[in-house]
Coordinates of all heavy atoms in Angstrom, one line a residue:
A90 N 51.3 218.0 205.9 CA 51.0 217.7 204.4 C 52.2 218.3 203.7 O 52.8 219.3 203.9 CB 49.8 218.4 204.0
C91 N 52.7 217.4 202.7 CA 53.8 217.8 201.8 C 53.4 217.2 200.5 O 52.4 216.5 200.3 CB 55.1 217.3 202.3 SG 56.5 218.3 201.7
T92 N 54.2 217.5 199.5 CA 53.9 217.1 198.1 C 53.6 215.6 198.0 O 52.7 215.1 197.4 CB 55.1 217.4 197.2 OG1 55.3 218.8 197.3 CG2 54.7 217.1 195.7
D93 N 54.4 214.8 198.7 CA 54.3 213.3 198.5 C 53.8 212.6 199.7 O 53.7 211.4 199.7 CB 55.6 212.7 198.1 CG 56.7 213.0 199.1 OD1 56.6 213.9 199.9 OD2 57.8 212.3 199.0
R94 N 53.4 213.3 200.8 CA 53.0 212.6 202.0 C 52.0 213.5 202.8 O 52.1 214.7 202.8 CB 54.1 212.1 202.9 CG 55.1 213.1 203.3 CD 56.1 212.4 204.2 NE 57.4 213.0 203.9 CZ 58.5 212.9 204.7 NH1 58.4 212.3 205.8 NH2 59.6 213.4 204.3
F95 N 51.1 212.7 203.5 CA 50.2 213.4 204.4 C 50.1 212.5 205.6 O 49.8 211.3 205.5 CB 48.8 213.5 203.7 CG 47.8 214.1 204.6 CD1 47.7 215.5 204.8 CD2 46.8 213.4 205.3 CE1 46.8 216.1 205.6 CE2 45.9 214.0 206.2 CZ 45.9 215.3 206.3
R96 N 50.3 213.1 206.8 CA 50.3 212.3 208.0 C 49.4 213.0 209.1 O 49.4 214.2 209.1 CB 51.7 212.2 208.6 CG 52.7 211.4 207.8 CD 54.0 211.3 208.4 NE 54.9 210.6 207.6 CZ 56.2 210.5 207.9 NH1 56.7 210.9 209.0 NH2 57.0 209.8 207.1
T97 N 48.8 212.2 209.9 CA 48.0 212.8 211.0 C 48.5 212.0 212.3 O 48.8 210.8 212.2 CB 46.5 212.6 210.8 OG1 46.2 211.2 210.8 CG2 46.0 213.3 209.6
Y98 N 48.6 212.8 213.3 CA 48.9 212.2 214.6 C 48.0 212.7 215.7 O 47.8 213.9 215.9 CB 50.4 212.6 215.0 CG 51.4 212.1 214.1 CD1 52.0 212.9 213.2 CD2 51.8 210.8 214.2 CE1 53.0 212.4 212.4 CE2 52.8 210.3 213.4 CZ 53.4 211.1 212.5 OH 54.4 210.6 211.7
P99 N 47.3 211.8 216.4 CA 46.5 212.2 217.6 C 47.5 212.5 218.7 O 48.5 211.9 218.8 CB 45.7 211.0 217.9 CG 46.3 209.8 217.2 CD 47.1 210.4 216.1
L100 N 47.3 213.6 219.4 CA 48.2 214.1 220.4 C 47.6 213.9 221.8 O 46.4 214.1 222.0 CB 48.5 215.6 220.1 CG 49.0 215.9 218.8 CD1 49.1 217.4 218.6 CD2 50.3 215.3 218.5
P101 N 48.5 213.5 222.7 CA 48.0 213.2 224.1 C 47.7 214.5 224.9 O 46.9 214.4 225.8 CB 49.1 212.5 224.7 CG 50.3 212.9 224.0 CD 49.9 213.1 222.6
D102 N 48.2 215.6 224.5 CA 48.0 216.9 225.1 C 47.3 217.9 224.2 O 47.6 217.8 223.0 CB 49.4 217.5 225.6 CG 50.1 216.6 226.6 OD1 49.4 215.8 227.3 OD2 51.3 216.7 226.7
P103 N 46.6 218.8 224.8 CA 45.9 219.8 223.9 C 47.0 220.7 223.3 O 48.1 220.9 223.9 CB 45.0 220.5 224.8 CG 45.4 220.2 226.2 CD 46.2 218.9 226.1
V104 N 46.7 221.3 222.1 CA 47.6 222.2 221.5 C 46.8 223.4 221.1 O 45.6 223.4 221.0 CB 48.3 221.6 220.2 CG1 49.3 220.5 220.6 CG2 47.2 221.0 219.3
E105 N 47.5 224.5 220.8 CA 46.9 225.7 220.3 C 46.6 225.5 218.8 O 47.5 225.0 218.1 CB 47.7 226.9 220.5 CG 47.8 227.4 222.0 CD 48.5 228.7 222.2 OE1 48.3 229.6 221.3 OE2 49.2 228.8 223.1
E106 N 45.5 226.1 218.3 CA 45.2 226.1 216.9 C 46.3 226.8 216.2 O 46.6 227.9 216.5 CB 43.9 226.7 216.6 CG 42.7 225.9 216.7 CD 41.4 226.6 216.3 OE1 41.5 227.6 215.6 OE2 40.4 226.1 216.7
S107 N 46.9 226.2 215.1 CA 47.9 226.9 214.4 C 48.0 226.3 213.0 O 47.7 225.1 212.8 CB 49.2 227.0 215.1 OG 49.8 225.7 215.1
V108 N 48.5 227.1 212.0 CA 48.8 226.7 210.7 C 50.2 227.3 210.4 O 50.4 228.5 210.6 CB 47.8 227.2 209.7 CG1 48.2 226.9 208.2 CG2 46.4 226.7 209.9
S109 N 51.1 226.4 209.8 CA 52.4 226.9 209.4 C 52.7 226.3 208.0 O 52.4 225.2 207.7 CB 53.5 226.3 210.4 OG 53.3 226.8 211.7
V110 N 53.2 227.2 207.2 CA 53.6 226.8 205.8 C 55.1 227.2 205.7 O 55.5 228.3 206.0 CB 52.8 227.5 204.8 CG1 53.3 227.2 203.4 CG2 51.3 227.2 204.9
G111 N 55.9 226.2 205.2 CA 57.3 226.5 205.0 C 58.0 225.4 204.3 O 57.3 224.6 203.7
D112 N 59.3 225.4 204.3 CA 60.0 224.4 203.6 C 60.3 223.1 204.4 O 60.9 222.2 204.0 CB 61.3 224.9 203.1 CG 62.2 225.5 204.2 OD1 61.8 225.6 205.3 OD2 63.4 225.8 203.9
G113 N 59.7 223.1 205.6 CA 59.7 221.9 206.5 C 58.5 222.0 207.4 O 57.8 223.0 207.5
Y114 N 58.3 220.9 208.1 CA 57.2 220.9 209.1 C 57.5 221.7 210.3 O 58.7 221.7 210.8 CB 56.9 219.4 209.5 CG 56.4 218.6 208.3 CD1 57.1 217.4 208.0 CD2 55.3 218.9 207.6 CE1 56.6 216.6 207.0 CE2 54.9 218.1 206.6 CZ 55.5 217.0 206.3 OH 55.1 216.2 205.2
H115 N 56.5 222.2 210.9 CA 56.7 223.0 212.2 C 56.4 221.9 213.3 O 55.3 221.6 213.6 CB 55.7 224.1 212.2 CG 55.7 224.9 213.5 ND1 56.8 225.6 214.0 CD2 54.7 225.1 214.4 CE1 56.5 226.1 215.1 NE2 55.2 225.9 215.4
V116 N 57.4 221.5 214.0 CA 57.3 220.4 215.0 C 57.5 220.9 216.5 O 57.4 220.2 217.4 CB 58.3 219.3 214.8 CG1 58.0 218.6 213.4 CG2 59.7 219.8 214.9
T117 N 57.7 222.2 216.6 CA 57.9 222.8 218.0 C 56.8 222.4 219.0 O 57.1 222.1 220.1 CB 58.1 224.3 217.9 OG1 59.2 224.6 217.0 CG2 58.5 224.9 219.3
P118 N 55.5 222.5 218.6 CA 54.5 222.1 219.6 C 54.5 220.6 220.0 O 53.9 220.3 221.0 CB 53.2 222.3 218.8 CG 53.5 223.4 217.8 CD 54.9 223.0 217.4
L119 N 55.2 219.8 219.3 CA 55.3 218.4 219.7 C 56.4 218.1 220.7 O 56.4 217.1 221.4 CB 55.7 217.5 218.4 CG 54.7 217.5 217.3 CD1 55.2 216.7 216.1 CD2 53.3 217.0 217.8
L120 N 57.4 219.0 220.9 CA 58.5 218.8 221.7 C 58.1 218.6 223.2 O 58.7 217.7 223.8 CB 59.5 219.9 221.6 CG 60.2 220.1 220.2 CD1 61.1 221.3 220.2 CD2 60.9 218.8 219.9
P121 N 57.2 219.3 223.8 CA 56.8 219.0 225.2 C 56.2 217.6 225.4 O 56.1 217.1 226.5 CB 55.8 220.1 225.5 CG 56.0 221.2 224.5 CD 56.5 220.5 223.3
M122 N 55.6 217.0 224.3 CA 55.0 215.7 224.4 C 55.9 214.6 224.1 O 55.5 213.4 224.1 CB 53.8 215.7 223.3 CG 52.8 216.6 223.6 SD 51.6 216.6 222.3 CE 51.3 218.3 222.0
L123 N 57.2 214.9 223.8 CA 58.1 213.8 223.5 C 58.2 212.8 224.6 O 58.5 213.2 225.8 CB 59.5 214.5 223.2 CG 60.6 213.5 222.8 CD1 60.3 212.9 221.4 CD2 61.9 214.3 222.6
D124 N 58.0 211.6 224.3 CA 58.0 210.5 225.2 C 59.5 210.2 225.5 O 60.3 209.9 224.7 CB 57.4 209.2 224.6 CG 57.2 208.2 225.7 OD1 57.4 208.4 226.9 OD2 56.8 207.0 225.3
G125 N 59.9 210.3 226.8 CA 61.3 210.2 227.2 C 61.8 208.8 227.3 O 62.9 208.6 227.8
G126 N 61.1 207.8 227.0 CA 61.6 206.5 227.1 C 60.5 205.5 227.4 O 59.3 205.7 227.1
D127 N 60.8 204.4 228.1 CA 59.9 203.4 228.4 C 59.0 203.7 229.6 O 58.1 202.9 229.9 CB 60.6 202.1 228.6 CG 61.3 201.5 227.4 OD1 60.8 201.9 226.3 OD2 62.3 200.8 227.5
G128 N 59.2 204.7 230.3 CA 58.4 205.1 231.4 C 59.0 204.6 232.7 O 60.2 204.5 232.9
F129 N 58.1 204.2 233.6 CA 58.5 203.8 235.0 C 57.6 202.7 235.5 O 56.5 202.5 234.9 CB 58.5 205.0 235.9 CG 57.1 205.7 236.0 CD1 56.2 205.3 236.9 CD2 56.8 206.7 235.1 CE1 54.9 205.9 237.0 CE2 55.6 207.4 235.2 CZ 54.6 206.9 236.1
Y130 N 58.0 202.1 236.5 CA 57.2 201.0 237.2 C 56.9 201.4 238.6 O 57.7 202.0 239.3 CB 57.9 199.7 237.1 CG 58.1 199.2 235.7 CD1 59.3 199.5 235.0 CD2 57.2 198.4 235.1 CE1 59.5 199.0 233.7 CE2 57.3 197.9 233.9 CZ 58.5 198.2 233.2 OH 58.6 197.7 231.9
V131 N 55.7 201.0 239.1 CA 55.3 201.2 240.5 C 54.9 199.8 241.0 O 54.1 199.1 240.4 CB 54.2 202.1 240.6 CG1 53.7 202.3 242.0 CG2 54.5 203.5 240.0
L132 N 55.5 199.4 242.1 CA 55.1 198.2 242.8 C 54.2 198.7 244.0 O 54.7 199.3 244.9 CB 56.3 197.4 243.3 CG 56.0 196.1 244.0 CD1 55.2 195.1 243.1 CD2 57.3 195.4 244.5
A133 N 52.9 198.4 243.9 CA 52.0 198.9 244.9 C 51.8 197.7 245.9 O 51.2 196.7 245.5 CB 50.7 199.3 244.3
L134 N 52.2 197.9 247.1 CA 52.1 196.9 248.2 C 51.1 197.3 249.2 O 51.1 198.4 249.8 CB 53.4 196.6 248.8 CG 54.6 196.2 247.9 CD1 55.9 196.3 248.7 CD2 54.4 194.9 247.4
A135 N 50.2 196.4 249.5 CA 49.2 196.6 250.6 C 49.1 195.2 251.3 O 49.5 194.2 250.7 CB 47.9 197.0 250.0
Q136 N 48.5 195.2 252.4 CA 48.4 193.9 253.2 C 47.6 192.9 252.5 O 47.9 191.7 252.5 CB 47.9 194.2 254.6 CG 48.1 193.0 255.5 CD 47.7 193.4 256.9 OE1 47.3 194.5 257.2 NE2 48.0 192.5 257.8
K137 N 46.6 193.3 251.7 CA 45.8 192.3 251.1 C 45.9 192.3 249.5 O 45.1 191.7 248.8 CB 44.3 192.6 251.5 CG 44.1 192.3 252.9 CD 42.6 192.4 253.3 CE 42.5 192.1 254.8 NZ 41.1 192.1 255.2
S138 N 46.8 193.1 249.0 CA 47.0 193.1 247.5 C 48.4 193.6 247.1 O 49.0 194.4 247.8 CB 45.9 194.0 246.9 OG 46.2 195.4 247.2
V139 N 48.8 193.1 246.0 CA 50.1 193.5 245.4 C 49.8 193.7 243.9 O 49.2 192.8 243.3 CB 51.2 192.4 245.6 CG1 52.5 192.8 244.9 CG2 51.4 192.1 247.1
R140 N 50.3 194.8 243.4 CA 50.1 195.1 242.0 C 51.4 195.7 241.4 O 52.1 196.5 242.1 CB 48.9 196.1 241.7 CG 47.6 195.6 242.2 CD 46.5 196.5 241.9 NE 46.7 197.9 242.3 CZ 46.1 198.9 241.8 NH1 45.3 198.8 240.8 NH2 46.4 200.1 242.2
L141 N 51.6 195.4 240.1 CA 52.7 196.1 239.4 C 52.1 196.9 238.3 O 51.3 196.5 237.5 CB 53.6 195.0 238.8 CG 54.8 195.6 238.0 CD1 55.8 196.4 238.9 CD2 55.6 194.5 237.3
L142 N 52.5 198.2 238.3 CA 51.9 199.2 237.4 C 53.0 199.7 236.5 O 54.2 199.9 237.0 CB 51.3 200.3 238.1 CG 50.2 200.0 239.2 CD1 49.9 201.1 240.1 CD2 49.0 199.5 238.5
K143 N 52.7 199.9 235.2 CA 53.7 200.6 234.3 C 53.1 201.9 233.9 O 51.9 202.0 233.5 CB 53.9 199.7 233.1 CG 54.9 200.3 232.1 CD 55.2 199.4 230.9 CE 56.3 200.1 230.1 NZ 56.7 199.3 228.9
G144 N 53.9 202.9 234.0 CA 53.4 204.3 233.7 C 54.3 205.1 232.8 O 55.4 204.7 232.5
S145 N 53.7 206.1 232.2 CA 54.4 207.1 231.4 C 53.9 208.4 231.8 O 53.0 208.5 232.7 CB 54.2 206.8 229.9 OG 52.9 207.1 229.5
R146 N 54.3 209.4 231.1 CA 53.8 210.7 231.4 C 52.3 210.8 231.1 O 51.6 211.7 231.8 CB 54.5 211.7 230.4 CG 54.1 213.1 230.6 CD 55.0 214.0 229.7 NE 54.4 215.3 229.8 CZ 54.2 216.1 228.8 NH1 54.5 215.7 227.6 NH2 53.7 217.3 228.9
H147 N 51.7 210.0 230.3 CA 50.3 210.1 229.9 C 49.4 209.1 230.5 O 48.2 209.3 230.4 CB 50.2 210.1 228.4 CG 51.1 211.1 227.7 ND1 50.8 212.5 227.8 CD2 52.3 211.0 227.0 CE1 51.8 213.1 227.1 NE2 52.7 212.3 226.7
D148 N 49.9 207.9 230.9 CA 49.0 206.9 231.4 C 49.7 206.0 232.4 O 50.9 206.0 232.6 CB 48.4 206.1 230.3 CG 49.4 205.3 229.5 OD1 50.6 205.5 229.7 OD2 49.0 204.6 228.5
L149 N 48.8 205.2 233.1 CA 49.3 204.3 234.1 C 48.4 203.1 234.0 O 47.2 203.2 234.0 CB 49.2 204.9 235.5 CG 49.7 204.1 236.6 CD1 51.3 203.9 236.5 CD2 49.4 204.7 237.9
H150 N 49.0 201.9 233.8 CA 48.1 200.7 233.7 C 48.8 199.5 234.4 O 50.0 199.5 234.6 CB 47.8 200.3 232.2 CG 49.0 200.0 231.4 ND1 49.8 200.9 230.8 CD2 49.6 198.8 231.1 CE1 50.8 200.4 230.2 NE2 50.7 199.1 230.3

Side-chain angles (χ1 to χ4, degrees):
C91 204
T92 306
D93 59 344
R94 56 180 139 158
F95 180 80
R96 295 181 183 177
T97 61
Y98 295 104
L100 302 175
D102 296 334
V104 290
E105 288 188 36
E106 275 186 19
S107 69
V108 173
S109 299
V110 175
D112 58 353
Y114 297 123
H115 177 61
V116 297
T117 306
L119 299 177
L120 296 178
M122 296 175 224
L123 185 62
D124 191 9
D127 292 334
F129 57 90
Y130 293 92
V131 175
L132 182 60
L134 302 171
Q136 194 168 5
K137 296 186 179 185
S138 69
V139 176
R140 299 184 309 154
L141 181 63
L142 306 166
K143 183 175 182 180
S145 71
R146 179 176 174 226
H147 304 289
D148 62 357
L149 184 69
H150 63 277

